[in-house]
Amino acid sequence: MTTTMPNADYNPLSYVDRLDERDVDSIELVVIHATELPDLETAREYGERIHYRNSQTGNSGHFYIDRDGSVEQWVPLERVAHHVRGYNKKSIGIELVNRGRWPDWLHSRRQDWPEDYSEAQIEALAELLHKLKTRLPNLDYIAGHDELDPGVVDASDNPAIKVRRKVDPGPLFPWGEIEAVVDLKRSGTKIL
């Protein structure tokens, strides 16, 4: 059975049947991401890349919300998507199309976040979160990718400088607006 969500176009990744299976009752957490890429097409190209030789799968979220509020589902809920280290088995990844730090993600002097999220994206996200909460009995938590992956790496312009590996969904994400309308607890790393 493939669990898809209403109001989301189902557009499965080519390797979706090779992703690990799980019981949807095991899902406890939604992780909010930003693609940090210029558009949905580029995000799709990245999502189709094979990063794991043994399973012949790549990195992606379950859902992608474009700037106009349209929603695509690339991975069914009963499959484990690779979107955040250490939390994949019990979480859903939702990616918001946003340039973020693109194309210089790790450049020490380009760590600002110039693009805001559109109203249509945030409305679509809130609606999707409501539907997921209704459908998944154990879904209780929400976190940003940056809260779950706080690692630092060498800056691309100067290895003596450390920068955050992941900062999405970024400083412009409206946490207060989402928390006011969605019945999920903000968790950070407290759920494990």
Side-chain angles (χ1 to χ4, degrees), residues 86-103:
Y87 297 88
N88 291 322
K89 288 184 181 181
K90 56 173 63 179
S91 70
I92 295 169
I94 299 178
E95 297 269 359
L96 301 168
V97 175
N98 186 294
R99 296 172 86 78
R101 302 171 295 169
W102 181 86

Side-chain angles (χ1 to χ4, degrees), residues 20 40-41 44 48 83 86 98 127 134-136 144 146 163:
D20 289 343
L40 186 61
E41 180 181 341
R44 182 64 183 217
E48 288 288 355
H83 61 96
N98 186 294
E127 182 179 346
T134 300
R135 180 168 282 188
L136 302 170
D146 60 335
V163 295

Side-chain angles (χ1 to χ4, degrees), residues 35-111:
T35 58
E36 289 204 78
L37 295 167
D39 52 44
L40 186 61
E41 180 181 341
T42 306
R44 182 64 183 217
E45 290 169 10
Y46 182 80
E48 288 288 355
R49 291 182 195 162
I50 301 301
H51 293 277
Y52 307 103
R53 278 196 178 145
N54 290 343
S55 64
Q56 287 294 294
T57 61
N59 295 324
S60 80
H62 290 85
F63 297 94
Y64 285 72
I65 303 177
D66 210 343
R67 292 176 179 93
D68 65 0
S70 59
V71 181
E72 290 191 10
Q73 184 174 356
W74 294 2
V75 176
L77 297 177
E78 65 273 349
R79 296 285 179 166
V80 177
H82 303 289
H83 61 96
V84 59
R85 291 193 270 183
Y87 297 88
N88 291 322
K89 288 184 181 181
K90 56 173 63 179
S91 70
I92 295 169
I94 299 178
E95 297 269 359
L96 301 168
V97 175
N98 186 294
R99 296 172 86 78
R101 302 171 295 169
W102 181 86
D104 297 311
W105 303 280
L106 302 178
H107 194 287
S108 68
R109 292 185 304 275
R110 297 190 182 126
Q111 293 297 299

Side-chain angles (χ1 to χ4, degrees), residues 5 92 94 128-136 139:
M5 295 301 291
I92 295 169
I94 299 178
L128 177 58
L129 290 170
H130 280 294
K131 289 177 180 173
L132 289 167
K133 179 72 175 152
T134 300
R135 180 168 282 188
L136 302 170
L139 183 62

